[in-house]
Amino acid sequence: MAPNDCLFCRIRDGLIPAQPLHRDEHCFVLQDIHPQAPVHLLVLPNRHVATVNDLQPGDEPLVGHLFTTAARLAAEKGIAASGYRLVMNTLGDAGQTVFHLHLHLLGGRQLGWPPG
Ligand code: 5GP
Ligand code: ZN
C-alpha cells in the first residue's frame, strides 16, 4: 500500500487531525481511537512499514526504539509498576486492521491471557 493511502501515514503527515502524545525522529504515539483498556496507546514508526513481516535487517534499532518509547509512556501513564502488555498484530489471524506497523501499549486493568 502506498503511504498516501495509509491511515497512519496520513495522521503522521497531519492530513488527518490527531494529537500525538509523543513525536521524535523515529516514531510517534497516538491514543487508540477505540481503547480496549484504560491505557491504550499505539507506538508507530514514522517510516511506513506494513507489518512485522516487512521489517528488514537493520531495522532492529527502530524496533528497539518502539519498545523503549512504549516503556517510557507506560511510566508516564503510571502503569509501569502495575504491568502492561505490548502487542503487534500481524495479518489476518492476529486481526491486524491497519497495515502500518504499530505497537499496542495496553494497561490499567487486569488483562486476560491467553488473548482471544
Ligand atoms: P490492529 O487491529 O491493526 O492491530 O490495530 C489498529 C488499531 O488502530 C485499532 O486498535 C484501532 O482502534 C486503531 N485505530 C483505527 N483507526 C484509528 C484512527 O483513525 N486513529 C487512531 N488513533 N487509532 C485508530
Ligand atoms: Zn503508513
Side-chain angles (χ1 to χ4, degrees), residues 1-115:
M1 178 188 285
N4 267 355
D5 301 325
C6 169
L7 172 65
F8 290 153
C9 282
R10 292 175 66 82
I11 290 176
R12 176 202 63 208
D13 293 344
L15 299 172
I16 297 171
Q19 294 184 321
L21 280 72
H22 167 86
R23 261 187 202 282
D24 63 40
E25 60 179 324
H26 302 296
C27 76
F28 62 110
V29 178
L30 300 174
Q31 172 79 50
D32 196 287
I33 202 167
H34 293 126
Q36 302 300 316
V39 176
H40 188 175
L41 305 183
L42 304 173
V43 185
L44 308 101
N46 292 335
R47 197 181 99 220
H48 181 86
V49 179
T51 80
V52 172
N53 291 339
D54 300 295
L55 288 166
Q56 301 297 319
D59 283 337
E60 293 85 357
L62 173 63
V63 174
H65 184 73
L66 300 180
F67 275 79
T68 54
T69 300
R72 193 155 60 73
L73 267 293
E76 286 178 13
K77 291 290 179 182
I79 59 169
S82 53
Y84 56 89
R85 186 168 295 159
L86 300 176
V87 178
M88 270 188 195
N89 294 320
T90 301
L91 296 178
D93 278 359
Q96 184 177 4
T97 57
V98 183
F99 296 92
H100 180 130
L101 202 73
H102 50 281
L103 186 60
H104 293 259
L105 166 59
L106 295 146
R109 67 169 172 82
Q110 186 68 53
L111 299 166
W113 190 264

